[in-house]
C-alpha cells in the first residue's frame, strides 16, 4: 500500500507526495503528458530531442547537472510514445535544489542556436549508434510502420527519419516546448523522507509563478482494425535470423490489460515459461524467445520475438511459434502455471515499493492515466485474472489477420 497526499496549484500542476521515513533520500519526479505520439508526422523525434534539451540549461541556470551533483544527487530522464519523465534522487534535506532546477526549466529553456546544435548532434549520434549501426537496431523502424498505418505509434521515440532532427529549427523547438511543457500538462511526484505540507509549500514557492499554457487537445487518428496478416522480410548483416510477430491489443487503461500482461508472462517470463521450455530447451529452435506487451496509453501491441538457432529454417521456427500460440488459445494455462506467474508479479510489485524512484514515478503515471489511487489496486486486478480470461485473451489476440510479422534474416546465414 502506497500512502500519498495530493495538492494542486492554481496553474494546474498536480502534486503527489509519498512520505517514507525509512530512508534519508528523496525522489523528485516530474512527468509531462507528452510523448512521440504528440509529434507532427513530418517532424518526429522532438519529444526525445527535448529530453536532451532539458539538460542543456534553462532561463536562469546554465548547468543542470552540476547543482544536482553538488548536493549529492543524481538525475536522469526517459521518453516514451506517451510520456516524458524527469527525476532527481538526492538527500531529502537538499530537496529544494530539485524544485529550483525543475521549476526554472519548466518556465523556459535556454533557447539558443548553439544549445540546439549541441543536443541535435547528440541525438543524431544516438540514432546512428542504436538504430542504424547496431545489429538488429532498425527492427523498431521496420515493425512499427508495418503494424500501424495511421496512428503515430507508427514511429519509435527516436523518430521516423534522422532528417527530421537534422532539419529541426529553433522555432520548431520553441513551439513544441510552449505547447507541451506546462504546469497544467505535468504531474510532480515526490517520495522519500519528506513532510507533505513542506513539499506543498516548496511547490507553491517554486512553481506557482509559472503560468499555465494552452496545451492542445489530443486528437489522434484511430488505428483501423487490421483485417489481414502483414509481412515484411529483410536481409541484414547480422549473426542470426530473428522473427518478430506483433498483434494488436487494447490500451493500458482497458480492464483486460492485466489479462494480457499475465498472458505474456505465462508465455515467456523466465526459464520455466512455455516458450522457453518448448522452443528453446526442448526443441532447440531458438536461442532466446520473448513475449511482452507495450502497455501504451492508446491501443498497443503484443510482441513475440525470437532469435532462430543456426541450421533451423525460419519456416520451421515460425510454425512452432504459431503452434504454441494456438495451444494457449485453445486450452489456456493450468491453474498452477497461472498462479506461479501471479506470485512472481506480486513479488515484483512489492519489491518495487522499496524504491522511492519507482513509487514517485508510478504514482505520477497512474495520476496521468486517471487516478493515482489505482496503483494500490494493481495486485487485486492481477489476482482476479482466471485461466479462462487468459484463454479468451489469447484466442482473440493470436489471430493471423491481427498479426504483423517481420522476418529479419541474416545475409548468407545458415538458416536463410
Amino acid at each position: 500500500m502506497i500512502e500519498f497526499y495530493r495538492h494542486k496549484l492554481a496553474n494546474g500542476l498536480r502534486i503527489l507526495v509519498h512520505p517514507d521515513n525509512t530512508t534519508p533520500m528523496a525522489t523528485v519526479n516530474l512527468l509531462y503528458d507528452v510523448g512521440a505520439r504528440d509529434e507532427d508526422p513530418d517532424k518526429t523525434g522532438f519529444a526525445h530531442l527535448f529530453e536532451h534539451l532539458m539538460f542543456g540549461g534553462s532561463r536562469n541556470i546554465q548547468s543542470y547537472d552540476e547543482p544536482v551533483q553538488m548536493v549529492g544527487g543524481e538525475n536522469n530522464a526517459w521518453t516514451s510514445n506517451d510520456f516524458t519523465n524527469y527525476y532527481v534522487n538526492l538527500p531529502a534535506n537538499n530537496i529544494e535544489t530539485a524544485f529550483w532546477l525543475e521549476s526554472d526549466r519548466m518556465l523556459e529553456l535556454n533557447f539558443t542556436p548553439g544549445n540546439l546544435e549541441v543536443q541535435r548532434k547528440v541525438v543524431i549520434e544516438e540514432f546512428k549508434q542504436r538504430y542504424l549501426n547496431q545489429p538488429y537496431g532498425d527492427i523498431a523502424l521496420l515493425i512499427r510502420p508495418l503494424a500501424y498505418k495511421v496512428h503515430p505509434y507508427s514511429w519509435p521515440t527516436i523518430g521516423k527519419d534522422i532528417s527530421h532532427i537534422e532539419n529541426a529549427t529553433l522555432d520548431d523547438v520553441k513551439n513544441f516546448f510552449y505547447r507541451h511543457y506546462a504546469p497544467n500538462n505535468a504531474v510532480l511526484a515526490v517520495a522519500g523522507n519528506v513532510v507533505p505540507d513542506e513539499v506543498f509549500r516548496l511547490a507553491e514557492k517554486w512553481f506557482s509563478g509559472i503560468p499555465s499554457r494552452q496545451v492542445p487537445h489530443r486528437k489522434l487518428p484511430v488505428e483501423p482494425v487490421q483485417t489481414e496478416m502483414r509481412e515484411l522480410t529483410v536481409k541484414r548483416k547480422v549473426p542470426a535470423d530473428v522473427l518478430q510477430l506483433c498483434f494488436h491489443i487494447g490500451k493500458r487503461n482497458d480492464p483486460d490489460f492485466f489479462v494480457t500482461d499475465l498472458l505474456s508472462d505465462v508465455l515467456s517470463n523466465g526459464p520455466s515459461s512455455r516458450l522457453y521450455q518448448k522452443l528453446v530447451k526442448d526443441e532447440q529452435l531458438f536461442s532466446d524467445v520473448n513475449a511482452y506487451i507495450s502497455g501504451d496509453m492508446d491501443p498497443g501491441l503484443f510482441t513475440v520475438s525470437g532469435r532462430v538457432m543456426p541450421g533451423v529454417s525460419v519456416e520451421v521456427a515460425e510454425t512452432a511459434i504459431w503452434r504454441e500460440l494456438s495451444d494457449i488459445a485453445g486450452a489456456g494455462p493450468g491453474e498452477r502455471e497461472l498462479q506461479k506467474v501471479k506470485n512472481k508479479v506480486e513479488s515484483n510489485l512489492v519489491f518495487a515499493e522499496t524504491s522511492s524512484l519507482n513509487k514517485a514515478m508510478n504514482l505520477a503515471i497512474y495520476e496521468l492515466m486517471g487516478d493515482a489511487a489505482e496503483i494500490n489496486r494493481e495486485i487485486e486486478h492481477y489476482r482476479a485474472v482466471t485461466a479462462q480470461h487468459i484463454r479468451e485473451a489469447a484466442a482473440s489476440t493470436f489471430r493471423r489477420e491481427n498479426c504483423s510479422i517481420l522476418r529479419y534474416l541474416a545475409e548468407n546465414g545458415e538458416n536463410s
Side-chain angles (χ1 to χ4, degrees):
M1 186 76 173
I2 300 177
E3 179 188 30
F4 67 92
Y5 300 83
R6 272 197 180 100
H7 183 60
K8 188 175 183 179
L9 302 186
N11 59 13
L13 180 65
R14 287 168 278 178
I15 303 132
L16 304 172
V17 183
H18 166 68
D20 178 5
N21 60 12
T22 66
T23 173
M25 305 294 288
T27 296
V28 176
N29 191 95
L30 193 56
L31 182 68
Y32 288 93
D33 191 7
V34 57
R37 65 176 172 166
D38 299 298
E39 297 164 346
D40 186 304
D42 297 319
K43 295 178 180 180
T44 64
F46 273 60
H48 177 247
L49 174 62
F50 256 89
E51 178 196 320
H52 289 265
L53 285 168
M54 288 284 276
F55 291 95
S58 52
R59 176 190 282 188
N60 302 300
I61 305 166
Q62 294 304 304
S63 170
Y64 183 92
D65 291 338
E66 187 177 341
V68 173
Q69 293 165 1
M70 288 180 66
V71 296
E74 60 174 3
N75 64 87
N76 213 328
W78 52 262
T79 309
S80 74
N81 286 82
D82 300 309
F83 305 129
T84 309
N85 191 69
Y86 303 87
Y87 67 85
V88 185
N89 290 321
L90 74 176
N93 57 358
N94 292 330
I95 195 173
E96 190 165 5
T97 298
F99 279 74
W100 166 58
L101 291 167
E102 291 293 355
S103 64
D104 200 63
R105 63 180 182 177
M106 179 187 283
L107 175 66
E108 186 176 72
L109 292 185
N110 180 25
F111 290 118
T112 66
N115 189 31
L116 173 58
E117 197 56 37
V118 167
Q119 300 307 326
R120 187 205 315 273
K121 289 178 180 178
V122 171
V123 173
I124 288 173
E125 186 59 29
E126 181 181 345
F127 198 123
K128 290 177 179 178
Q129 286 187 357
R130 292 182 58 188
Y131 293 84
L132 302 182
N133 301 330
Q134 181 172 291
Y136 310 106
D138 62 340
I139 285 180
L141 299 173
L142 297 169
I143 195 68
R144 281 185 172 271
L146 187 66
Y148 291 101
K149 296 306 176 184
V150 302
H151 193 281
Y153 285 164
S154 63
W155 58 83
T157 55
I158 198 70
K160 275 187 190 179
D161 191 279
I162 202 169
S163 64
H164 292 185
I165 299 301
E166 291 173 336
N167 298 328
T169 68
L170 201 58
D171 282 342
D172 291 335
V173 165
K174 287 182 178 180
N175 289 338
F176 191 87
F177 178 83
Y178 288 116
R179 290 176 68 202
H180 299 291
Y181 278 75
N184 49 313
N185 201 41
V187 174
L188 176 68
V190 180
N193 199 344
V194 295
V195 176
D197 285 345
E198 176 62 12
V199 171
F200 299 149
R201 183 190 70 79
L202 290 173
E204 290 281 356
K205 174 182 176 181
W206 289 105
F207 288 93
S208 63
I210 303 173
S212 59
R213 293 172 180 144
Q214 287 294 111
V215 177
H217 178 65
R218 187 177 282 128
K219 296 179 181 178
L220 302 181
V222 177
E223 185 67 24
V225 174
Q226 186 173 331
T227 58
E228 60 182 9
M229 181 186 283
R230 299 169 186 160
E231 303 173 70
L232 176 63
T233 301
V234 299
K235 288 193 174 185
R236 297 287 192 268
K237 292 181 179 179
V238 292
D241 297 344
V242 162
L243 283 171
Q244 185 150 322
L245 292 76
C246 291
F247 303 87
H248 290 279
I249 55 173
K251 55 189 177 183
R252 178 63 180 81
N253 264 341
D254 286 349
D256 62 357
F257 164 80
F258 302 95
V259 179
T260 53
D261 193 23
L262 286 178
L263 171 58
S264 70
D265 285 352
V266 169
L267 287 174
S268 81
N269 190 352
S272 63
S273 61
R274 285 193 172 210
L275 296 183
Y276 184 89
Q277 283 292 312
K278 294 283 188 68
L279 305 184
V280 176
K281 185 179 178 182
D282 294 344
E283 299 177 33
Q284 299 182 12
L285 299 177
F286 293 86
S287 59
D288 64 75
V289 63
N290 294 286
Y292 52 91
I293 61 173
S294 56
D296 296 319
M297 294 301 104
D298 291 327
L301 295 176
F302 191 117
T303 298
V304 180
S305 178
R307 186 173 303 196
V308 183
M309 287 288 286
V312 175
S313 75
V314 172
E315 293 76 16
V316 168
E318 189 176 326
T319 298
I321 286 180
W322 280 109
R323 182 195 68 218
E324 293 305 316
L325 299 183
S326 178
D327 284 350
I328 192 74
E335 290 297 335
R336 183 176 180 277
E337 184 181 22
L338 178 56
Q339 191 59 51
K340 182 179 65 177
V341 297
K342 284 185 179 182
N343 292 343
K344 186 176 290 188
V345 166
E346 189 166 340
S347 174
N348 289 339
L349 289 174
V350 171
F351 182 75
E353 291 186 9
T354 64
S355 163
S356 62
L357 171 58
N358 284 341
K359 287 184 282 190
M361 184 169 60
N362 290 330
L363 279 169
I365 290 173
Y366 263 98
E367 184 67 11
L368 278 188
M369 283 168 49
D371 182 4
E374 280 297 313
I375 195 171
N376 291 318
R377 303 185 187 105
E378 271 191 317
I379 290 178
E380 296 173 27
H381 293 314
Y382 282 111
R383 286 174 178 167
V385 175
T386 67
Q388 180 67 9
H389 291 145
I390 298 285
R391 189 197 68 76
E392 291 172 355
S396 65
T397 301
F398 301 140
R399 295 174 290 108
R400 290 179 183 268
E401 65 271 23
N402 189 42
C403 179
S404 297
I405 181 167
L406 172 64
R407 302 179 184 95
Y408 198 98
L409 308 182
E411 289 183 359
N412 303 316
E414 293 179 46
N415 18 13
S416 299

